[in-house]
C-alpha cells in the first residue's frame, strides 16, 4: 500500500520529500485540501498567540481529556497535549464502574483563550458545571478550577476593561460575567443578550474586533448553518447574519443509528435492536460545515475553522478563508460568499513561494504504535478513566489485565484512537498465552453499534470470534494458536461508511471474518468510530492478561501527489450525467454521449503551478471563460495566454472540481436544462449530482 513519492515543488523543480504515510492537508505545493484532519476533531476553538496557533477540541468521555494542537501555518498541526490525564471526580460514572457511564457526556465544547500571560481552556462537564484549566505553558501542567454554575457550550471574552464574560446557551443567548480568580460566575450578572426567536443556535465564539463585539454561532434547526451577530456593546442589541450555509463539500450525510420507538437505549446491550437510517443523498441536514472559531493569520488574512459531520469518521475540521464584507466576516471568497473551496492557498496567498512556507507537510499524530516507550503515544485515549493497576507497558508490549464486563462498551481499560479516512487498514498483534477462562481480548470499534474481532478463552479451548452489535450477530470458530499469537485487522472504507475484520496466524495471509459492516455517526456517544484494544472477562471475575504489539495504520490514499493528472490527456466525465465534456466546433463547451471518443472529448491538463491548471482541447483550443460565466460563457481561445486558470479541487479517486480564480465559482453543467457549460456554480450539492463534480479518465 505504501509508495514512494516524487513530489513537485511550486516551479516543478524535482525534489525528494518524505512520502505521505498519513493524511495531511498540506499538498506540498502551496495549497491545502480539506479536511485538515481526516479523523475526528469536534467543537474546534482557535487562538493565535504571536506567530503560533492553538486549537482545542472536545474529548467527551475519553481521557486524557481536552486535546490541544499547535501550528505555525494553520494547515500543519501537532498534538502537544491534553488538559488532564483523567477526570478528577469520584463518581463511578467517570470510570465506567458499576454500570455507570458518561458516554456522549464528559467534557465538551471548549473555549481556549490567552490573557494575563497564561492560557485558559473553559469547558463543561455534565452534572458538574463549568470547568477551567490554566497554564503558563501550552504543554502544561494545567491547574483545574471547578467553577460550577449552569454555563455550557460557551465562549469567553477577556475584555479591554479587565472584565471576563461567558456567552452561552442555545436560542436564548446569555452573557454572564466570570470572577478573575476562576472561582465561578459573578452573582447577579447573568443576562439575556439575544432573545429566543432570532434563529440563533449554540456553539458560541465571541470576539472583540476594532471595538465591535462579534458572536459566531451555529444552529441546527431545521438544518445546519453558521451565523454572526454583532453589537457595539457586549450586552447588545445584536444584529445577525448567516455567514455560511450548505457547504458540505459534496459529501452527503451519513445514516445515523436509531433505536426503535418506545425502547430505551442502554449502552452495551447485546439484545438491543438497532437501525442505521438511510440518509438522503441530496439533503444537507446538519452535515454541512458549522460550529467553530475564527482567527486572523500572521499575514493579516482571516480564517474560519469549522467542523463538519463527516461520515462514520465523526466530526472533522475544515479551514475556510474569510472575507470581510460590509463589516461582516463572511465565509468564502469575493464573488462566492457563504461557500468555501475544498482546496485553497495556504495563509500567505498564492504569491508566496513554497520554500517560504513555515512548515513542512506533516500529520498531527503518529498513529502507529510499537509500545516500546515508557509512555503511550499522544494519540491514545482510554474509554473513561482507566484502572492504572490493571495495565502496563511491559517489555515492548501493552499488557491489559481483564476485569468483569459482559460486553465491549462496559469493558474498563479499553484503549482507543480515532479511525482515519478516507480508507485505512489497521493491524495489531495479540498475544493470548496469559488469558484465562472467560477472558475476551481483541481489536474493536467503540461506536453505537459497536463491533470487534478477538479471542475468547473458554476453559482450555480458544476460539476466534467476530461480534457485530448492529444485528447481535456472533461468528465463532475454534483456533489453535501454537505460538500464542494472532494478527487482527480492521479494513475501513470510511467515506463509504463500512468496515470489515480480518485475521492471520502468520502476519502475511489474512482472511476476512464476518461481513462488510455498515458504520454510522450517531448522537449517543457523540463520537465517530474508534479503534479499541480491549480485554475483559465475561464470567464476572478478574482473569488473566493479554498483550498487544505493533499496532500499525496504513492509509492507501494519503499520498495525493499524483492526483492531478498534469500533462495527461483525459476525458472529463460529469458525475451528474455520466456524460463526457466536448469542445463543440460551434465554440461552446457541452457534453455528449458516453460512447463518443472523438478528439473533441479529449483535454490536456496544463500545469499552471501551485495546483492550478488550464484545459487544452486536443484540437489546440484552450478553455476560456467570458463575461460572468453564465451558460454559454465557457468557450475557447487559441491564445494560451488567455486560457482560464482553475484551482484543481481534489476529491480523490479521479474525482475533482475546477474553481475559477477569476470569480471564485466552479465550472459545471446543469444536468436537466440542456444548457451548455457555465462558470457560475457556487459549489457541489451533497450528492455531487448538480453538475459541478467531474471524474477524469485517461
Amino acid at each position: 500500500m505504501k509508495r514512494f513519492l516524487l513530489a513537485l515543488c511550486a516551479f516543478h523543480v524535482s525534489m525528494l520529500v518524505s512520502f505521505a504515510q498519513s493524511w495531511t492537508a498540506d499538498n506540498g505545493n502551496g495549497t491545502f485540501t480539506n479536511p485538515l484532519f481526516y479523523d475526528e476533531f469536534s467543537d474546534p476553538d482557535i487562538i493565535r498567540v504571536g506567530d503560533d496557533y492553538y486549537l482545542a477540541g472536545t474529548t467527551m468521555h475519553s481521557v486524557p481529556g481536552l486535546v490541544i494542537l499547535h501550528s505555525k501555518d494553520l494547515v500543519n498541526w501537532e498534538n502537544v497535549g491534553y488538559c488532564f490525564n483523567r477526570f478528577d471526580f469520584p463518581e463511578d460514572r467517570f470510570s465506567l464502574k458499576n454500570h455507570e457511564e458518561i458516554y456522549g457526556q464528559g467534557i465538551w465544547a471548549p473555549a481556549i483563550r490567552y490573557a494575563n500571560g497564561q492560557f485558559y481552556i473553559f469547558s463543561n462537564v455534565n452534572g458538574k458545571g463549568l470547568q477551567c484549566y490554566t497554564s503558563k505553558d501550552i504543554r502544561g501542567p494545567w491547574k483545574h478550577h471547578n467553577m460550577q454554575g449552569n454555563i455550557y457550550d460557551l465562549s469567553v471574552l477577556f475584555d479591554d476593561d479587565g472584565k471576563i464574560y461567558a456567552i452561552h446557551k442555545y436560542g436564548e443567548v446569555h452573557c454572564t460575567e466570570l470572577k478573575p480568580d476562576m472561582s465561578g460566575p459573578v452573582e447577579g450578572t447573568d443576562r439575556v443578550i439575544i432573545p429566543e426567536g432570532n434563529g440563533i443556535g449554540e456553539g458560541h465564539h465571541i470576539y472583540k474586533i476594532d471595538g465591535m463585539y462579534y458572536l459566531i454561532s451555529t444552529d441546527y434547526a431545521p438544518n445546519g448553518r453558521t451565523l454572526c451577530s454583532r453589537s457595539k456593546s457586549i450586552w447588545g442589541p445584536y444584529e445577525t447574519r448567516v455567514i455560511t450555509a450548505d457547504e458540505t463539500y459534496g459529501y452527503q450525510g451519513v445514516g445515523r443509528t436509531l433505536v426503535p420507538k418506545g425502547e430505551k437505549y442502554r449502552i452495551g446491550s447485546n439484545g438491543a435492536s438497532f437501525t442505521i437510517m438511510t440518509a438522503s443523498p441530496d439533503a444537507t441536514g446538519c452535515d454541512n460545515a458549522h460550529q467553530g472559531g475564527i482567527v486572523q493569520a500572521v499575514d493579516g488574512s482571516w480564517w474560519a475553522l469549522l467542523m463538519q459531520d463527516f461520515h462514520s469518521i465523526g466530526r472533522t475540521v475544515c479551514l475556510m478563508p474569510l472575507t470581510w464584507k460590509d463589516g461582516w466576516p463572511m465565509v468564502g471568497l469575493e464573488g462566492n460568499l457563504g461557500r468555501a473551496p475544498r482546496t485553497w492557498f495556504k495563509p500567505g496567498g498564492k504569491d508566496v513561494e513554497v520554500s517560504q512556507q513555515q512548515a513542512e507537510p506533516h500529520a498531527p499524530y503518529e498513529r502507529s504504535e510499537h509500545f516500546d516507550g515508557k509512555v503511550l503515544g499522544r494519540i491514545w485515549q482510554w474509554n473513561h478513566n482507566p484502572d492504572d493497576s490493571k495495565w502496563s507497558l511491559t517489555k515492548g508490549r501493552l499488557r491489559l489485565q481483564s476485569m468483569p464486563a459482559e460486553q465491549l462498551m462496559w469493558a474498563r481499560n479499553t484503549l482507543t484512537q480515532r479511525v482515519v479516512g478516507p480508507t485505512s487498514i489497521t493491524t495489531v498483534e495479540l498475544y493470548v498465552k496469559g488469558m484465562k477462562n472467560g477472558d475476551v481480548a481483541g481489536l474493536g470499534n467503540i461506536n453505537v453499534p459497536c463491533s470487534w474481532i478477538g479471542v475468547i478463552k473458554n476453559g482450555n479451548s480458544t476460539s476466534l470470534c467476530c461480534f457485530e452489535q448492529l444485528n447481535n450477530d456472533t461468528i465463532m470458530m475454534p483456533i489453535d494458536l501454537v505460538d500464542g499469537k494472532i494478527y487482527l485487522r480492521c479494513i475501513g472504507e470510511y467515506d463509504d461508511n463500512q468496515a470489515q475484520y480480518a485475521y492471520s496466524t502468520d502476519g502475511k495471509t489474512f482472511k476476512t471474518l464476518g461481513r462488510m459492516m455498515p458504520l454510522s455517526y450517531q448522537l449517543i456517544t457523540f463520537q465517530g468510530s474508534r479503534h479499541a484494544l480491549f480485554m475483559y472477562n465475561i464470567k464476572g471475575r478478574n482473569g488473566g492478561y493479554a498483550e498487544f504489539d505493533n499496532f500499525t495504520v496504513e492509509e492507501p490514499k494519503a499520498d495525493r501527489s499524483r492526483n492531478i493528472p498534469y500533462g495527461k490527456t483525459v476525458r472529463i466525465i460529469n458525475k451528474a450525467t455520466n456524460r463526457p465534456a466536448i469542445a463543440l466546433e460551434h465554440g461552446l463547451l457541452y457534453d455528449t454521449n458516453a460512447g463518443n471518443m472523438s478528439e473533441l472529448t479529449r483535454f490536456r491538463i496544463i500545469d499552471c503551478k501551485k495546483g492550478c491548471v488550464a484545459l487544452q482541447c486536443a484540437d489546440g483550443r484552450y478553455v476560456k471563460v467570458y463575461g460572468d460565466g453564465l451558460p454559454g460563457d465557457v468557450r475557447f481561445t487559441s491564445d494560451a495566454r488567455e486560457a482560464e486558470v482553475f484551482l484543481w479541487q481534489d476529491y480523490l479517486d479521479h474525482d475533482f472540481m475546477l474553481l475559477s480564480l477569476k470569480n471564485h465559482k466552479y465550472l459545471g453543467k446543469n444536468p436537466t436544462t440542456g444548457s451548455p457549460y457555465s462558470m457560475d456554480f457556487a459549489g457541489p450539492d451533497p450528492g455531487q449530482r448538480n453538475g459541478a463534480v467531474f471524474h477524469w479518465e485517461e
Side-chain angles (χ1 to χ4, degrees):
M1 297 288 182
K2 297 175 182 175
R3 307 190 294 273
F4 285 100
L5 317 177
L6 189 63
L8 299 177
C9 70
F11 294 96
H12 275 218
V13 177
S14 296
M15 56 182 293
L16 189 66
V17 300
S18 58
F19 56 90
Q21 293 179 314
S22 187
W23 177 276
T24 172
D26 197 327
N27 294 316
N29 61 3
T31 70
F32 67 92
T33 295
N34 284 310
L36 281 184
F37 328 116
Y38 226 115
D39 62 347
E40 185 170 70
F41 195 100
S42 300
D43 304 324
D45 194 33
I46 186 167
I47 58 170
R48 176 170 68 87
V49 180
D51 294 341
D52 298 279
Y53 305 93
Y54 301 101
L55 187 66
T58 286
T59 49
M60 289 296 181
H61 49 274
S62 303
V63 293
L66 289 185
V67 62
I68 306 164
L69 304 186
H70 167 255
S71 176
K72 280 288 190 181
D73 64 358
L74 284 176
V75 173
N76 295 279
W77 294 85
E78 176 193 4
N79 178 204
V80 294
Y82 300 84
C83 279
F84 58 91
N85 289 325
R86 60 189 297 118
F87 291 105
D88 54 1
F89 303 110
E91 289 88 345
D92 286 349
R93 60 193 175 100
F94 293 99
S95 299
L96 206 61
K97 295 166 64 175
N98 298 320
H99 274 216
E100 298 287 336
E101 43 83 10
I102 54 167
Y103 282 114
Q105 300 179 60
I107 194 161
W108 47 278
I112 183 171
R113 293 293 181 262
Y114 183 81
N116 307 316
Q118 66 179 346
F119 293 93
Y120 298 76
I121 298 185
F122 300 86
S123 195
N124 169 75
V125 173
N126 292 67
K128 293 294 182 179
L130 179 61
Q131 311 297 311
C132 178
Y133 298 85
T134 56
S135 176
K136 293 187 179 299
D137 187 338
I138 195 67
R139 299 175 185 268
W142 294 84
K143 181 180 179 180
H144 181 197
H145 310 262
N146 188 346
M147 301 179 69
Q148 303 179 342
N150 186 27
I151 296 177
Y152 59 90
D153 214 2
L154 79 159
S155 184
V156 174
L157 176 72
F158 288 79
D159 211 342
D160 302 334
D161 60 3
K163 292 186 177 181
I164 308 168
Y165 300 103
I167 311 296
H168 55 107
K169 289 191 168 52
Y170 174 82
E172 182 181 85
V173 182
H174 287 238
C175 178
T176 304
E177 190 177 342
L178 303 179
K179 295 178 181 178
D181 63 358
M182 299 298 119
S183 60
V186 176
E187 293 80 1
T189 61
D190 183 85
R191 286 169 55 182
V192 175
I193 59 172
I194 302 179
E196 177 62 72
N198 285 278
I200 306 298
E202 59 188 10
H204 307 295
H205 298 260
I206 185 72
Y207 306 93
K208 190 174 185 180
I209 303 170
D210 295 334
M212 183 76 75
Y213 295 89
Y214 290 89
L215 178 62
I216 309 297
S217 307
T218 189
D219 192 19
Y220 56 80
N223 70 339
R225 62 200 180 282
T226 300
L227 313 103
C228 177
S229 305
R230 71 180 186 183
S231 173
K232 293 181 180 179
S233 168
I234 188 72
W235 305 109
Y238 285 85
E239 55 178 333
T240 300
R241 300 276 180 90
V242 174
I243 61 172
T244 182
D246 294 335
E247 187 54 83
T248 65
Y249 289 112
Y251 287 90
Q252 63 191 44
V254 62
R256 301 203 190 278
T257 301
L258 300 179
V259 180
K261 189 174 182 179
E263 291 189 19
K264 186 178 185 301
Y265 175 73
R266 184 172 70 87
I267 286 289
S269 172
N270 281 338
S273 176
F274 295 100
T275 302
I276 296 180
M277 62 173 278
T278 301
S280 167
D282 301 308
T284 58
C286 294
D287 302 293
N288 49 359
H290 53 291
Q291 184 170 332
I294 66 173
V295 68
Q296 186 177 26
V298 175
D299 69 342
S301 60
W302 282 85
W303 301 81
L305 283 89
L306 305 182
M307 73 178 184
Q308 180 181 357
D309 293 12
F310 207 77
H311 298 270
S312 56
I313 289 169
R315 289 170 163 170
T316 62
V317 176
C318 297
L319 178 63
M320 312 170 87
L322 279 180
T323 298
W324 285 87
K325 186 76 171 179
D326 300 326
W328 294 96
M330 300 296 297
V331 169
L333 303 164
E334 190 69 53
N336 194 8
L337 299 178
R339 304 293 294 269
R342 182 177 186 187
T343 297
W344 189 240
F345 301 99
K346 293 173 62 177
K350 60 181 179 293
D351 297 325
V352 176
E353 302 295 344
V354 174
S355 60
Q356 296 173 352
Q357 300 288 352
Q358 290 192 358
E360 290 294 326
H362 64 268
Y365 307 101
E366 177 58 51
R367 303 181 190 280
S368 297
E369 172 76 88
H370 301 289
F371 303 111
D372 293 330
K374 295 182 179 180
V375 296
L376 292 167
R378 288 198 182 115
I379 194 171
W380 293 106
Q381 292 177 287
W382 296 100
N383 181 18
H384 292 65
N385 281 345
D387 181 340
D388 288 330
S389 70
K390 297 290 187 180
W391 74 274
S392 62
L393 294 172
T394 304
K395 297 180 179 179
R397 296 178 187 170
L398 168 69
R399 176 177 290 189
L400 299 180
Q401 300 178 46
S402 70
M403 291 178 280
E406 71 269 26
Q407 204 261 6
L408 173 60
M409 298 295 281
W410 288 112
R412 299 193 65 197
N413 283 19
T414 296
L415 189 62
T416 74
Q417 68 166 260
R418 300 168 293 277
V419 303
V420 61
T423 65
S424 56
I425 302 165
T426 300
T427 308
V428 68
E429 298 173 15
L430 171 64
Y431 293 81
V432 304
K433 286 185 176 180
M435 293 176 65
K436 294 182 179 180
N437 186 25
D439 284 347
V440 185
L443 172 66
N445 177 16
I446 294 287
N447 203 339
V448 179
C450 69
S451 63
W452 54 266
I453 185 173
V455 170
I456 296 180
K457 191 77 171 180
N458 189 10
N460 293 322
S461 66
T462 302
S463 298
L464 179 66
C465 181
C466 183
F467 170 71
E468 186 182 353
Q469 192 184 25
L470 176 62
N471 51 15
N472 200 29
D473 186 35
T474 301
I475 301 173
M476 188 175 296
M477 53 181 282
I479 191 166
D480 184 15
L481 302 176
V482 177
D483 59 358
K485 179 171 71 171
I486 189 170
Y487 299 82
L488 304 177
R489 173 171 286 181
C490 179
I491 305 161
E493 297 285 348
Y494 299 109
D495 267 6
D496 294 327
N497 304 306
Q498 58 184 2
Q500 187 169 35
Y501 291 116
Y503 70 96
S504 173
T505 56
D506 61 7
K508 299 176 182 177
T509 303
F510 281 83
K511 298 179 181 179
T512 59
L513 188 65
R515 65 169 179 158
M516 181 66 82
M517 303 170 293
L519 302 174
S520 78
Y521 175 68
Q522 36 69 41
L523 303 182
I524 300 170
T525 68
F526 276 92
Q527 287 185 335
S529 296
R530 280 182 166 247
H531 295 306
L533 304 181
F534 66 89
M535 171 68 164
Y536 61 94
N537 188 281
I538 57 176
K539 295 188 180 293
R541 65 183 68 161
N542 289 333
Y545 64 87
E547 293 181 332
F548 299 84
D549 200 2
N550 297 323
F551 181 97
T552 60
V553 181
E554 298 177 85
E555 301 177 45
K557 296 181 181 179
D559 171 15
R560 304 191 306 281
S561 64
R562 300 178 184 176
N563 285 13
I564 305 178
Y566 293 120
K568 292 183 178 181
T569 298
V570 303
R571 294 212 310 164
I572 298 174
I573 313 298
N574 194 305
K575 291 192 69 177
T577 60
N578 203 33
R579 292 166 64 91
I582 185 170
L584 296 179
E585 293 181 355
H586 184 54
L588 302 177
L589 187 65
Y590 200 58
D591 62 7
T592 185
N593 63 76
N596 188 339
M597 302 295 290
S598 70
E599 72 168 7
L600 297 183
T601 66
R602 302 173 191 170
F603 296 87
R604 184 166 175 260
I605 307 300
I606 308 298
D607 179 13
C608 296
K609 317 306 179 191
K610 294 191 177 181
C612 296
V613 302
L615 304 181
Q616 182 184 27
C617 182
D619 65 4
R621 292 178 294 166
Y622 296 88
V623 170
K624 179 181 178 181
V625 179
Y626 297 79
D628 294 326
L630 298 177
D633 273 351
V634 182
R635 301 198 291 275
F636 297 91
T637 178
S638 59
D639 188 344
R641 295 169 298 180
E642 297 180 351
E644 191 77 14
V645 177
F646 303 97
L647 182 61
W648 188 279
Q649 307 287 297
D650 181 22
Y651 275 79
L652 311 179
D653 301 314
H654 288 203
D655 291 348
F656 67 102
M657 294 178 64
L658 293 172
L659 175 67
S660 170
L661 294 184
K662 186 183 300 181
N663 67 0
H664 298 138
K665 292 189 176 179
Y666 299 88
L667 181 70
K669 184 184 185 304
N670 189 298
T672 60
T673 63
S675 297
Y677 270 85
S678 65
M679 181 53 78
D680 61 353
F681 282 72
D685 64 1
Q688 301 185 10
R689 302 194 298 189
N690 66 334
V693 184
F694 312 115
H695 182 84
W696 65 267
E697 60 181 33
E698 287 194 71

